């Protein structure tokens, strides 16, 4: 996780798939209006789970308890972005966070959350 004031070039690259949409210039300008927090999440089905936590792209369609449902009121002033596929997440992570900025560690809670993988010998019992 890091706080960053995104450059126009970074934002244009991040949202390149929207470059032909009429709201593109406004989106880039809005995203440059203040710092953003770039984060990398990991875990089982993290992209799908993350999208559920964020809520629908249009905040009006978002459920209460989601980030967009609780903190957004209009789609062009959304407060959070989440990758929609693992492949797009990998690309976006590469834009926002350098490999040396990533911290690789094993959480002490990992086995409690995911359980221990059983050895083949244990599975045969």
């Amino acid at each position: 996780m890091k706080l960053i004031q995104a450059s126009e070039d970074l934002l244009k690259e991040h949202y390149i798939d929207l470059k032909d949409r009429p709201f593109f210039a406004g989106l880039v300008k809005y995203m440059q209006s203040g710092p953003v927090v770039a984060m990398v999440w990991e875990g089982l089905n993290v992209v799908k789970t993350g999208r559920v936590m964020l809520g629908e792209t249009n905040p009006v369609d978002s459920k209460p308890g989601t980030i967009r449902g609780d903190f957004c009121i209009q789609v062009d002033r959304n407060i959070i972005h989440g990758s929609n596929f693992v492949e797009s997440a990998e690309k976006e992570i590469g834009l926002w966070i350098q490999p040396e900025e990533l911290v690789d560690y094993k959480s002490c809670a990992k086995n409690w959350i995911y359980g221990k993988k059983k050895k083949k010998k244990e599975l045969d019992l």
Side-chain angles (χ1 to χ4, degrees), residues 29-58:
K29 184 177 179 182
Y30 171 66
M31 291 299 297
Q32 272 194 290
S33 67
V36 298
V37 176
M39 300 192 313
V40 178
W41 295 357
E42 66 180 357
L44 183 64
N45 298 315
V46 69
V47 171
K48 183 177 180 180
T49 302
R51 304 276 305 168
V52 170
M53 292 168 52
L54 270 55
E56 299 298 321
T57 300
N58 187 341

Side-chain angles (χ1 to χ4, degrees), residues 64-119:
T66 65
I67 295 169
R68 291 175 178 149
D70 289 352
F71 300 106
C72 298
I73 57 172
Q74 54 187 9
V75 73
D76 64 343
R77 292 295 183 256
N78 229 319
I79 65 164
I80 193 161
H81 167 81
S83 303
N84 52 354
F85 300 103
V86 171
E87 297 78 17
S88 57
E90 290 169 345
K91 176 186 173 254
E92 292 170 1
I93 290 166
L95 289 173
W96 292 87
I97 298 179
Q98 300 302 310
E100 63 271 10
E101 294 176 307
L102 293 171
V103 177
D104 187 23
Y105 74 100
K106 181 180 176 185
S107 170
C108 60
K110 184 175 181 178
N111 288 340
W112 286 99
I113 295 168
Y114 295 106
K116 288 186 177 183
K117 289 187 178 181
K118 304 219 183 228
K119 296 177 184 174

